[in-house]
Amino acid sequence: MTASRRLTVAVAALVLACAPPTPEPPNIVLILADDLGFGHLGSFGQSLIRTPHLDRLAAEGRRFTGFYSGSTVCAPARSVLMTGLHTGHTPVRANYGGVSLAEEDVTLAEVLKSAGYATGIFGKWGLGDHGTPGVPWAQGFDEFVGYLNQVHAHFYYPEFLWDNDERLELADNANGSRASYSHDVIVERGLDFVRRHADERFFLYLPFTIPHTELLVPEESMTEYAGSFPEPTPYPGDGHYAAQAEPRTAFAAMVTRMDRDVGRLMALLAELDLDDETLVLFASDNGGQAGWGVDLEFFAGNAPFRGSKMNLYEGGIRVPAIARWPGVIPPGTTSDHLWAFWDLLPTLADVADAVAPAEIDGRSMAALLGVGDAAPTHDYLYWEYGGTTGVTNLRQAVRMGAWKGVRTGPEDAWELYDLVVDTAESRDLAAERPDIVETIAALARDARTEPRPVPEALQTFRYVGQRP
């Protein structure tokens, strides 16, 4: 062996010796808030709502400022997260209550279960009602307590939840009583899952319903914010969501109650000596909601972005995200890398030493979580919303590097924004850069396939327990 060859081998050996070892597959906890905006957490700029436990999670882990939801509304976002397919391909693209995953769809839970993980979901599912093949216990989850249907999940004092395929009766909520707060039931079952599976690898999915309206929370949480905000406009109720005399107080109290329970979970992981072997991720299912009593502007909930839930401007799809894994993710760090819900399946598969399906849109971003080398970049990111069968009311968005294209309807012109210099999407550059518009329009055409047909009965679907 030549001297130069010996030097090369020695250097390579030194690099390998100094490289951090690949960590053992961790427990995985994925917490998903409902309608929490980019600016609703203290660690993302909030000054009026207290979120100390989530802020600590960010301080001890990594914030992601370039992370996107899979959609601007509930069910499609969750379908993207579970399948690794963006909304041009994911099975559930409509927000109707009965649209379901199919038996052949492969979910994140199935991928992790195949790698030996115990799997539990506690909260809001939205991807298959009772009697469909999309129920969580048929899609890779060992345990489920919560809401199957997102309309049912609008109510915090329901008369029942689902415990796998059995009704979990909340008898003390009968006839309009408010005794068992559903969020509290969900949290307790999630904590119990951790205790029972502390000696094996587990995947805990906590898709909370907070802070989605309706604006209701137990009195002790309201008391924490008593007198903190002016309340000029009580919410009168609308026959669906309940009235709320102090909507700002209720909203802040709901977020802080959720934060409190994240703190309880983190304390339990420490108590069980699971801290260092658990990856905890937190995000929101879409941007913050405006209306129905929620004062998005007062709390600057989607700051600094334009728009809100139900549209494809940044405020509807850019969401706060945090990851913590002691000893693997450097604490107090921030990443602006662009990634999205459809990347979570392959990313967590990599982290768990599992095998992701080949035909998905997501790419593994495990390097962002401290596993592997540099994270890849997407050529573009794609969203659509509003298409049921065909392109009815179809709205689309494409992000390609710094460029963001938005089309608000199938007959509307594309708008174009440079997000590097115009985060607020305030200056439409479409007329100045028709070449970029043409490229984005072509990507949008190529990025989608026709959705599965939505049965006519589901196009006006009303959950049986919905208020009249």
Side-chain angles (χ1 to χ4, degrees):
M1 183 183 292
T2 66
S4 61
R5 174 64 175 160
R6 284 195 297 272
L7 179 60
T8 299
V9 171
V11 169
L14 181 62
V15 168
L16 288 173
C18 295
T22 301
E24 289 293 314
N27 302 312
I28 298 171
V29 176
L30 175 57
I31 307 168
L32 198 66
D34 197 331
D35 292 1
L36 186 83
F38 189 88
H40 277 140
L41 300 180
S43 51
F44 283 76
Q46 180 59 224
S47 60
L48 299 176
I49 302 173
R50 294 187 289 275
T51 56
H53 299 289
L54 284 163
D55 297 344
R56 178 184 171 191
L57 199 73
E60 295 178 352
R62 174 168 289 163
R63 296 185 319 132
F64 297 98
T65 58
F67 187 69
Y68 285 95
S69 173
S71 180
T72 187
V73 293
C74 300
R78 294 156 202 271
S79 181
V80 170
L81 188 155
M82 278 292 121
T83 64
L85 298 165
H86 62 53
T87 42
H89 298 136
T90 205
V92 179
R93 302 188 215 178
N95 219 15
Y96 301 113
V99 178
S100 168
L101 293 177
E103 184 178 350
E104 64 268 22
D105 294 325
V106 178
T107 69
L108 172 60
E110 290 175 304
V111 168
L112 295 179
K113 187 177 176 67
S114 71
Y117 280 72
T119 56
I121 169 178
F122 304 92
K124 174 177 172 179
W125 176 238
L127 300 179
D129 216 334
H130 199 265
T132 75
V135 291
W137 56 91
Q139 294 289 339
F141 284 101
D142 300 320
E143 301 179 32
F144 165 69
V145 171
Y147 300 94
L148 290 172
N149 179 286
Q150 69 255 26
V151 179
H152 187 200
H154 289 177
F155 309 123
Y156 286 95
Y157 292 98
E159 295 188 8
F160 72 95
L161 297 170
W162 289 101
D163 186 344
N164 278 9
D165 63 349
E166 300 290 334
R167 280 173 59 124
L168 174 63
E169 301 293 341
L170 304 178
D172 51 2
N173 287 344
N175 301 315
S177 296
R178 296 176 181 173
S180 292
Y181 194 57
S182 63
H183 171 80
D184 294 350
V185 176
I186 286 162
V187 168
E188 291 301 332
R189 294 297 289 262
L191 296 178
D192 180 62
F193 176 85
V194 171
R195 293 186 189 97
R196 288 186 289 105
H197 295 281
D199 294 330
E200 59 183 315
R201 277 191 217 154
F202 61 80
F203 169 48
L204 171 62
Y205 177 34
L206 287 172
F208 292 145
T209 49
I210 286 179
H212 193 296
T213 44
E214 59 191 356
L215 297 177
L216 291 177
V217 68
E219 189 59 33
E220 70 265 20
S221 286
M222 293 287 286
T223 300
E224 292 183 44
Y225 281 97
S228 297
F229 316 119
E231 295 282 6
T233 310
Y235 180 63
D238 60 0
H240 181 76
Y241 294 121
Q244 176 53 256
E246 300 175 282
R248 290 175 178 171
T249 300
F251 183 86
M254 290 169 74
V255 174
T256 295
R257 194 177 189 91
M258 176 186 69
D259 178 83
R260 177 204 71 178
D261 292 326
V262 171
R264 292 176 63 202
L265 171 63
M266 300 309 296
L268 178 61
L269 293 174
E271 174 191 326
L272 298 174
D273 201 25
L274 298 175
D275 234 12
D276 291 349
E277 55 193 83
T278 303
L279 166 63
V280 178
L281 300 106
F282 176 90
S284 178
D285 68 339
N286 45 247
Q289 172 187 296
W292 293 281
V294 178
D295 196 335
L296 188 65
E297 291 187 7
F298 179 79
F299 292 111
N302 285 341
F305 304 120
R306 174 184 179 181
S308 61
K309 175 183 178 177
M310 300 180 72
N311 65 57
L312 293 173
Y313 296 110
E314 293 291 281
I317 53 177
R318 186 94 72 99
V319 295
I322 301 167
R324 176 187 183 270
W325 187 2
V328 181
I329 297 176
T333 53
T334 298
S335 169
D336 63 359
H337 193 85
L338 299 181
W339 59 310
F341 268 25
W342 52 97
D343 296 317
L344 286 174
L345 188 156
T347 298
L348 295 180
D350 259 9
V351 166
D353 199 19
V355 180
E359 300 299 320
I360 58 176
D361 297 308
R363 304 184 68 183
S364 174
M365 302 291 175
L368 299 177
L369 305 180
V371 178
D373 298 324
T377 57
H378 283 285
D379 294 334
Y380 68 95
L381 302 173
Y382 174 79
W383 300 264
E384 65 178 60
Y385 168 59
T388 53
T389 54
V391 294
T392 305
N393 300 318
L394 182 67
R395 286 155 268 182
Q396 296 172 287
V398 174
R399 174 137 193 198
M400 183 181 68
W403 296 107
K404 169 85 174 291
V406 178
R407 189 164 70 153
T408 57
E411 304 302 322
D412 295 337
W414 281 92
E415 303 167 17
L416 181 67
Y417 303 99
D418 181 347
L419 293 184
V420 170
V421 298
D422 183 20
T423 304
E425 294 169 290
S426 60
R427 186 183 173 204
D428 182 0
L429 299 175
E432 299 175 32
R433 294 301 306 268
D435 56 325
I436 301 297
V437 172
E438 183 177 350
T439 299
I440 282 176
L443 289 172
R445 286 192 298 270
D446 293 342
R448 71 184 310 270
T449 57
E450 285 298 301
R452 293 175 184 167
V454 178
E456 185 175 351
L458 297 181
Q459 295 184 28
T460 56
F461 183 86
R462 289 176 66 84
Y463 177 73
V464 172
Q466 181 176 346
R467 294 181 189 140

